[in-house]
Amino acid sequence: MSSTLAGWLQALALVGALALCYRPLGDYIAKLLTTAKHLRVERGLYKVIGVDGDADQRWPIYLRSVLAFSAVSVLFLYALQRLQNQLPLSLGNKGVEPHTAWNTAISFVTNTNWQSYAGESTMGHVVQMAGLAVQNFVSAAVGIAIVATLIRGFTRSKTDRVGNFWVDMTRIVLRLLLPLSIVFALVMVANGMIQNFHGFHDIATLGGDTQSIPGGPVASQEVIKELGTNGGGFFNANSAHPFENPTGFTNWLEIFLLLVISFSLPRTFGKMVGDNRQGYAIVSVMGLFWVASAALMTFFESAHGGVALQAAGSAMEGKEVRFGIAASSLFASSTTLTSTGAVNAAHDSLTPGGGGVAIFDMMLGEIAPGGTGSGLYGMLILAIVAVFVAGLMVGRTPEYLGKKLGGREMKFASLYILTTPAIVLIGTGVAMALPGERANMQASGAHGFSEVLYAFTSAANNNGSAFGGLTVNTPWWDTALGLAMVFGRFLPMVFVLALAGSLAQQQPVPATQGTLPTHKPLFVGLLSGVVLIVVGLTYFPALALGPIAEGLH
C-alpha cells in the first residue's frame, strides 16, 4: 500500500469515526450540562467545598470562581514543582527552577501545556500525576464550562444567571473526561503504551554500550493529554516517542481523541438552543477548515524541491519513519487547529509552507474545531460578527438565535477578536527588538523570525507546540510566554462571560422575513469568509515576514 493511499484511508476513517460520535457524544454533553440531578459523589464534593449545587451564578461571580480556582491551581502546581525533591517517586530530580516552574504552572492551568523542559529528566512521577495530569482534566473542563455559559446566554431570557462554575466543572470531569480517559487508557495500554512506576533502567545495546530507558505512568496521562486538547507530553519527544505513541493505530487514535469532543460540541450547542441545524452549520465551517488545513499541510510536505528531498520521496527530516508524511501532516494540522499542541514530528523541520499552515491554523484562533470549549466559543463569537456584518448589508439590527446584537454585544465580540492578535504581535515585536532575546534564535532570517512568531502565537492561543530552534528555557522567555498564556486564556474568557450575561438578560425576539437564517449554506459561506478576512488577514504582514518570505526564498 502506498503512503498516499494509507493517508487517505486514515483521514476517511477519522471522518467516519468523528461522524459516528457527533450525535451521541454531543447529546450526552448537552444532557450533563442541563440536567438538574446531581450524583451522590457530586453532592459530597459540593458539601466539602461549601457550594450550593442548585444555585446559579451571575457572570461576574462565575468569572471570579474561574479566576480564583485557576490562581489556586497555579500556586499549587508551582509549589509541587519547587518541592519535587522532597516528594516520593521524584526519581532523583531536583526542585524545578523558579522561572521554569512558573512557566509550567501557568502553561498547564491555561490548557497551553507549553514545555520548556524535557519531561523525563525534569519531572518525577508525583508531579506528573498529581500536578500535570490533574490540570489536564480541570483546565479542559474550564473551557467546556465557559462555552456552556455562552450557550445559556442564548437560551435564557430576563435573567442575570449563567450557571454555576463549580457544578459545571465537577460534572464535566466526573461524567465526561474521567470515564472516557479510563476506557481509552486501557486501549492504549493494550496497544503497547507503557503504564508503570519505573524510573530509568540501564540496558546493554547491541553495540556494547549502555542506554537508560525511562518508564512511568504514561497511558493515564496520554489519553487526557489528547482528549482535553492539552498536549503536554510525558517525554520530551511527545507523541513521537515510541513509549508515548507506539504504533500507527495509537497515532490515529490520538488524532481522534484530540478532535472528538471539540467536533461534538456543535451538536451540544444545537441541542441546547433547540435547533440541531445550528450545530450542523457550525460544524460544517469547522470541518471545511480542518479538511483544507490537512490537505494543504500534506501538499506542502509532499510537494518538495531539491535533489535530496526528491530522492527521499518526501520532506522526511524531523518525522517518524513509522508514521510518514500523511500521518505526520494530519497530526500537525489537527494539533494546531485545536489547542492541543502535541506533536508526532518536529514542527521546526516542516517545509516553509507546512510551517506556515501550522502557524496560520493557530492564528485563526484554533476554531476548527479548536480546544475543548474554547474552539466553539471562539467560533460563536465569529458567528456573531458574521450576523452583524450581514445586518449592516441590509440595514437592520442583527439578530442571532432570537437575541439582538447591539453595541454592547459587539464591543465584547470585538474585544475578544482583538485580544489575541495584540498579544501575539506585541510579544513578537518586543522579542525581536531585544538583541539578547534574538540571540536565542538558532536560525537567522525569515525562519528565525518564524520561530519567535510561532512561540507567541502558540502561547497566546494556548496551543503549546513550538518550533524547536528557539531556546526558551530562560527567565525572560519563560516570563514573557507565561504572561502571553495568562492574558491569552483569561482575557477572552472575560469577554465571553460578559457577552453571555448580556444575552441572558434580553427578551428573545421572534424571527421575521428579514432575519438571516443561520443554518443554511449562505451563512456557512459568510462565516467562513469572516474567519478568513477578519481574523486571518490580521496576521498577514507577520506571515509575510516569516514563512511566506522563507518559502519564496
Side-chain angles (χ1 to χ4, degrees):
M1 181 185 296
S2 68
S3 59
T4 303
L5 178 58
W8 277 105
L9 292 176
Q10 288 184 70
L12 289 175
L14 192 58
V15 171
L18 293 171
L20 287 174
C21 294
Y22 175 77
R23 181 170 180 174
L25 184 56
D27 289 351
Y28 175 72
I29 298 173
K31 182 178 180 180
L32 74 87
L33 290 174
T34 55
T35 183
K37 295 181 179 179
H38 304 290
L39 301 179
R40 181 176 298 179
V41 64
E42 293 170 350
R43 289 188 179 278
L45 289 173
Y46 302 152
K47 187 175 181 179
V48 169
I49 61 178
V51 170
D52 182 359
D54 297 315
D56 278 357
Q57 299 170 318
R58 295 182 295 110
W59 80 261
I61 305 300
Y62 201 104
L63 174 63
R64 287 205 289 271
S65 299
V66 172
L67 296 178
F69 176 76
S70 300
V72 171
S73 297
V74 169
L75 293 175
F76 173 78
L77 187 51
Y78 178 84
L80 202 64
Q81 294 175 82
R82 296 286 292 135
L83 299 173
Q84 176 175 237
N85 59 326
Q86 306 297 323
L87 300 174
L89 298 176
S90 64
L91 307 181
N93 293 320
K94 61 181 181 179
V96 181
E97 292 295 328
H99 60 89
T100 305
W102 139 267
N103 183 275
T104 303
I106 291 293
S107 174
F108 277 78
V109 170
T110 59
N111 199 240
T112 311
N113 301 76
W114 172 276
Q115 295 175 284
S116 59
Y117 60 90
E120 62 266 49
S121 60
T122 306
M123 303 296 182
H125 292 341
V126 171
V127 174
Q128 292 273 18
M129 294 185 297
L132 307 186
V134 168
Q135 290 306 316
N136 283 349
F137 280 95
V138 295
S139 65
V142 168
I144 300 175
I146 295 297
V147 77
T149 67
L150 183 55
I151 299 173
R152 292 181 188 125
F154 288 111
T155 60
R156 297 182 177 183
S157 61
K158 293 186 174 181
T159 181
D160 58 355
R161 310 287 165 161
V162 295
N164 187 312
F165 168 71
W166 306 105
V167 172
D168 289 339
M169 185 187 65
T170 302
R171 287 180 174 180
I172 293 164
V173 171
L174 294 184
R175 302 193 195 185
L176 177 66
L177 299 177
L178 193 58
L180 288 177
S181 295
I182 293 172
V183 171
F184 284 105
L186 293 174
V187 174
M188 291 296 195
V189 171
N191 284 273
M193 194 174 292
I194 67 171
Q195 179 72 17
N196 54 55
F197 292 105
H198 298 164
F200 284 85
H201 286 287
D202 292 334
I203 64 170
T205 65
L206 294 177
D209 296 325
T210 301
Q211 182 176 355
S212 294
I213 303 296
V218 177
S220 56
Q221 185 166 325
E222 184 69 15
V223 171
I224 190 58
K225 156 191 151 182
E226 311 294 3
L227 189 65
T229 62
N230 295 284
F234 195 95
F235 300 111
N236 188 42
N238 208 283
S239 288
H241 198 290
F243 289 175
E244 200 164 328
N245 191 2
T247 67
F249 171 72
T250 60
N251 186 73
W252 179 90
L253 187 57
E254 288 190 15
I255 301 174
F256 167 79
L257 288 174
L258 66 88
L259 294 171
V260 65
I261 290 180
S262 296
F263 262 129
S264 298
L265 281 173
R267 172 72 181 191
T268 302
F269 167 63
K271 194 76 173 178
M272 290 178 67
V273 300
D275 186 354
N276 291 327
R277 299 174 301 175
Q278 302 294 334
Y280 290 131
I282 296 298
V283 80
S284 296
V285 179
M286 290 178 171
L288 285 172
F289 280 100
W290 177 67
V291 170
S293 171
L296 280 173
M297 179 76 73
T298 305
F299 170 78
F300 284 125
E301 295 306 302
S302 301
H304 42 73
V307 176
L309 295 180
Q310 290 174 358
S314 57
M316 282 299 296
E317 179 186 293
K319 297 180 180 66
E320 277 286 297
V321 176
R322 57 202 173 100
F323 300 143
I325 288 291
S328 299
S329 299
L330 185 60
F331 201 114
S333 62
S334 297
T335 197
T336 50
L337 279 171
T338 61
S339 65
T340 310
V343 296
N344 73 345
H347 285 198
D348 198 33
S349 295
L350 295 174
T351 61
V357 170
I359 298 175
F360 189 68
D361 287 345
M362 294 184 291
M363 287 176 170
L364 288 179
E366 297 170 332
I367 52 172
T372 49
S374 60
L376 180 57
Y377 65 65
M379 184 63 84
L380 291 178
I381 293 290
L382 290 169
I384 287 172
V385 174
V387 172
F388 180 75
V389 171
L392 293 179
M393 292 179 179
V394 298
R396 58 167 289 155
T397 302
E399 306 159 10
Y400 188 38
L401 301 177
K403 297 298 179 77
K404 288 185 176 294
L405 304 177
R408 179 181 174 84
E409 289 75 25
M410 293 314 302
K411 287 177 184 177
F412 292 139
S414 299
L415 288 170
Y416 178 96
I417 292 173
L418 292 173
T419 296
T420 305
I423 297 170
V424 172
L425 298 176
I426 291 173
T428 302
V430 170
M432 294 301 296
L434 299 175
E437 309 317 322
R438 286 204 309 273
N440 290 321
M441 299 186 306
Q442 295 182 13
S444 60
H447 189 76
F449 176 79
S450 294
E451 292 174 352
V452 176
L453 179 64
Y454 194 113
F456 278 99
T457 303
S458 179
N461 285 281
N462 304 128
N463 183 272
S465 62
F467 271 8
L470 182 67
T471 302
V472 293
N473 194 15
T474 65
W476 190 90
W477 279 102
D478 278 337
T479 303
L481 293 175
L483 292 174
M485 295 176 211
V486 170
F487 294 136
R489 175 72 164 178
F490 295 113
L491 283 180
M493 285 185 177
V494 173
F495 305 131
V496 171
L497 287 168
L499 178 59
S502 180
L503 293 172
Q505 290 177 339
Q506 293 187 27
Q507 173 70 28
V509 295
T512 65
Q513 289 184 345
T515 301
L516 174 69
T518 54
H519 60 275
K520 294 186 176 181
L522 175 63
F523 179 73
V524 171
L526 178 63
L527 179 54
S528 300
V530 166
V531 171
L532 287 174
I533 296 171
V534 175
V535 181
L537 291 184
T538 303
Y539 296 97
F540 185 78
L543 289 169
L545 293 173
I548 295 177
E550 184 184 359
L552 293 175
H553 176 72

